[in-house]
Amino acid sequence: MRGTSTITRTGLFALGALLATTLLPAGSATAAPPRLGACAAGELCLWGKDDFTGSRWIHELSGLDIDSCVPLPAGATAASLANRTGRPVTTYQSAECGETGEFETYPGGGTWVPRSPYRVRAFKVWET
C-alpha cells in the first residue's frame, strides 16, 4: 500500500504541474500590471507608447476649448492615456475627430488606459 500512495502523490503532483503549464498563459503568475504614468489631477495625459511610456503630451482644461477637436502634433499618435480632467474625453483614430474611424469616450476623474485599441490622433473634452 505504501508504494501505491507514493505513486498517487507523485501522479497528482505531475498532473498539477501539467495543468499549471497548460492552462496558465506564460508569465501570468509573475506578470505585474503596468505602472501608471505620471498625470496630475485636472490633466489629460497621452503617451506615444503602450503602458504610459514614450513621448508624453499633457493638456490642462485651462488651455483647451471644450467640445472642440484637438489634434496631436503632426505625425504624432498616442497608444496610452490618462484622463484626470474631471470631464469626459473622447479619443479619435482620425486627426479630425471623424467618427468614420475608431473612437472611444472615457469618463473624467481617473481613467487610465495602458493600451488604446487604436492609435489616438485627436481628442475632444466634453462639457459635463
Side-chain angles (χ1 to χ4, degrees):
M1 289 300 248
R2 193 173 180 109
T4 304
S5 176
T6 303
I7 291 172
T8 303
R9 273 189 258 137
T10 304
L12 288 175
F13 177 77
L15 179 62
L18 176 64
L19 288 173
T21 58
T22 304
L23 299 177
L24 296 176
S28 66
T30 59
R35 190 171 153 211
L36 300 180
C39 189
E43 294 179 340
L44 171 66
C45 304
L46 301 112
W47 287 266
K49 296 183 180 180
D50 289 345
D51 299 324
F52 315 109
T53 60
S55 298
R56 181 174 67 157
W57 298 274
I58 300 172
H59 300 273
E60 293 184 21
L61 286 177
S62 63
L64 296 172
D65 289 330
I66 303 300
D67 298 338
S68 294
C69 183
V70 179
L72 295 183
T77 62
S80 54
L81 65 113
N83 179 13
R84 302 205 54 214
T85 63
R87 296 172 187 247
V89 170
T90 302
T91 61
Y92 296 87
Q93 186 178 35
S94 161
E96 295 81 30
C97 298
E99 294 181 3
T100 55
E102 296 289 328
F103 62 96
E104 183 74 34
T105 301
Y106 300 99
T111 303
W112 298 84
V113 182
R115 290 179 185 93
S116 173
Y118 51 86
R119 301 301 298 180
V120 175
R121 291 177 176 82
F123 64 90
K124 282 185 187 180
V125 177
W126 300 98
E127 189 67 48
T128 53

PDB file of all heavy atoms in Angstrom, residues 6-16:
ATOM      1  N   THR A   6       2.592   6.529  -2.696  1.00  0.00           N
ATOM      2  CA  THR A   6       3.653   7.356  -3.259  1.00  0.00           C
ATOM      3  C   THR A   6       3.395   7.624  -4.737  1.00  0.00           C
ATOM      4  O   THR A   6       3.537   8.742  -5.201  1.00  0.00           O
ATOM      5  CB  THR A   6       5.031   6.660  -3.088  1.00  0.00           C
ATOM      6  OG1 THR A   6       5.225   6.398  -1.716  1.00  0.00           O
ATOM      7  CG2 THR A   6       6.141   7.514  -3.642  1.00  0.00           C
ATOM      8  N   ILE A   7       2.955   6.619  -5.467  1.00  0.00           N
ATOM      9  CA  ILE A   7       2.666   6.799  -6.890  1.00  0.00           C
ATOM     10  C   ILE A   7       1.502   7.788  -7.058  1.00  0.00           C
ATOM     11  O   ILE A   7       1.538   8.670  -7.908  1.00  0.00           O
ATOM     12  CB  ILE A   7       2.340   5.446  -7.559  1.00  0.00           C
ATOM     13  CG1 ILE A   7       3.604   4.593  -7.612  1.00  0.00           C
ATOM     14  CG2 ILE A   7       1.773   5.645  -8.958  1.00  0.00           C
ATOM     15  CD1 ILE A   7       3.372   3.180  -8.057  1.00  0.00           C
ATOM     16  N   THR A   8       0.503   7.701  -6.220  1.00  0.00           N
ATOM     17  CA  THR A   8      -0.639   8.592  -6.318  1.00  0.00           C
ATOM     18  C   THR A   8      -0.221  10.034  -6.066  1.00  0.00           C
ATOM     19  O   THR A   8      -0.593  10.933  -6.795  1.00  0.00           O
ATOM     20  CB  THR A   8      -1.741   8.169  -5.318  1.00  0.00           C
ATOM     21  OG1 THR A   8      -2.094   6.822  -5.588  1.00  0.00           O
ATOM     22  CG2 THR A   8      -2.959   9.041  -5.428  1.00  0.00           C
ATOM     23  N   ARG A   9       0.560  10.244  -5.028  1.00  0.00           N
ATOM     24  CA  ARG A   9       1.027  11.603  -4.744  1.00  0.00           C
ATOM     25  C   ARG A   9       1.899  12.127  -5.876  1.00  0.00           C
ATOM     26  O   ARG A   9       1.770  13.264  -6.293  1.00  0.00           O
ATOM     27  CB  ARG A   9       1.803  11.635  -3.426  1.00  0.00           C
ATOM     28  CG  ARG A   9       0.899  11.835  -2.238  1.00  0.00           C
ATOM     29  CD  ARG A   9       1.678  12.087  -0.990  1.00  0.00           C
ATOM     30  NE  ARG A   9       1.662  10.816  -0.262  1.00  0.00           N
ATOM     31  CZ  ARG A   9       2.684  10.267   0.349  1.00  0.00           C
ATOM     32  NH1 ARG A   9       3.832  10.870   0.383  1.00  0.00           N
ATOM     33  NH2 ARG A   9       2.581   9.118   0.949  1.00  0.00           N
ATOM     34  N   THR A  10       2.770  11.291  -6.385  1.00  0.00           N
ATOM     35  CA  THR A  10       3.631  11.702  -7.493  1.00  0.00           C
ATOM     36  C   THR A  10       2.797  12.000  -8.735  1.00  0.00           C
ATOM     37  O   THR A  10       3.014  12.994  -9.421  1.00  0.00           O
ATOM     38  CB  THR A  10       4.667  10.607  -7.807  1.00  0.00           C
ATOM     39  OG1 THR A  10       5.404  10.329  -6.629  1.00  0.00           O
ATOM     40  CG2 THR A  10       5.596  11.029  -8.918  1.00  0.00           C
ATOM     41  N   GLY A  11       1.811  11.145  -8.999  1.00  0.00           N
ATOM     42  CA  GLY A  11       0.931  11.364 -10.144  1.00  0.00           C
ATOM     43  C   GLY A  11       0.139  12.656 -10.022  1.00  0.00           C
ATOM     44  O   GLY A  11      -0.011  13.406 -10.984  1.00  0.00           O
ATOM     45  N   LEU A  12      -0.366  12.938  -8.823  1.00  0.00           N
ATOM     46  CA  LEU A  12      -1.102  14.181  -8.598  1.00  0.00           C
ATOM     47  C   LEU A  12      -0.207  15.398  -8.769  1.00  0.00           C
ATOM     48  O   LEU A  12      -0.610  16.404  -9.342  1.00  0.00           O
ATOM     49  CB  LEU A  12      -1.752  14.182  -7.210  1.00  0.00           C
ATOM     50  CG  LEU A  12      -2.945  13.252  -7.040  1.00  0.00           C
ATOM     51  CD1 LEU A  12      -3.409  13.252  -5.591  1.00  0.00           C
ATOM     52  CD2 LEU A  12      -4.073  13.663  -7.958  1.00  0.00           C
ATOM     53  N   PHE A  13       1.020  15.297  -8.274  1.00  0.00           N
ATOM     54  CA  PHE A  13       1.960  16.400  -8.432  1.00  0.00           C
ATOM     55  C   PHE A  13       2.239  16.655  -9.915  1.00  0.00           C
ATOM     56  O   PHE A  13       2.214  17.781 -10.389  1.00  0.00           O
ATOM     57  CB  PHE A  13       3.261  16.099  -7.682  1.00  0.00           C
ATOM     58  CG  PHE A  13       4.290  17.173  -7.858  1.00  0.00           C
ATOM     59  CD1 PHE A  13       4.181  18.369  -7.165  1.00  0.00           C
ATOM     60  CD2 PHE A  13       5.354  17.005  -8.738  1.00  0.00           C
ATOM     61  CE1 PHE A  13       5.116  19.376  -7.347  1.00  0.00           C
ATOM     62  CE2 PHE A  13       6.282  18.006  -8.923  1.00  0.00           C
ATOM     63  CZ  PHE A  13       6.167  19.193  -8.222  1.00  0.00           C
ATOM     64  N   ALA A  14       2.474  15.588 -10.673  1.00  0.00           N
ATOM     65  CA  ALA A  14       2.753  15.730 -12.103  1.00  0.00           C
ATOM     66  C   ALA A  14       1.535  16.290 -12.841  1.00  0.00           C
ATOM     67  O   ALA A  14       1.660  17.143 -13.719  1.00  0.00           O
ATOM     68  CB  ALA A  14       3.154  14.384 -12.698  1.00  0.00           C
ATOM     69  N   LEU A  15       0.335  15.823 -12.477  1.00  0.00           N
ATOM     70  CA  LEU A  15      -0.877  16.332 -13.092  1.00  0.00           C
ATOM     71  C   LEU A  15      -1.054  17.824 -12.805  1.00  0.00           C
ATOM     72  O   LEU A  15      -1.373  18.613 -13.686  1.00  0.00           O
ATOM     73  CB  LEU A  15      -2.100  15.545 -12.601  1.00  0.00           C
ATOM     74  CG  LEU A  15      -3.448  16.000 -13.147  1.00  0.00           C
ATOM     75  CD1 LEU A  15      -3.483  15.848 -14.661  1.00  0.00           C
ATOM     76  CD2 LEU A  15      -4.575  15.223 -12.505  1.00  0.00           C
ATOM     77  N   GLY A  16      -0.802  18.219 -11.567  1.00  0.00           N
ATOM     78  CA  GLY A  16      -0.906  19.636 -11.202  1.00  0.00           C
ATOM     79  C   GLY A  16       0.080  20.486 -11.986  1.00  0.00           C
ATOM     80  O   GLY A  16      -0.254  21.561 -12.483  1.00  0.00           O
TER      81      GLY A  16
END
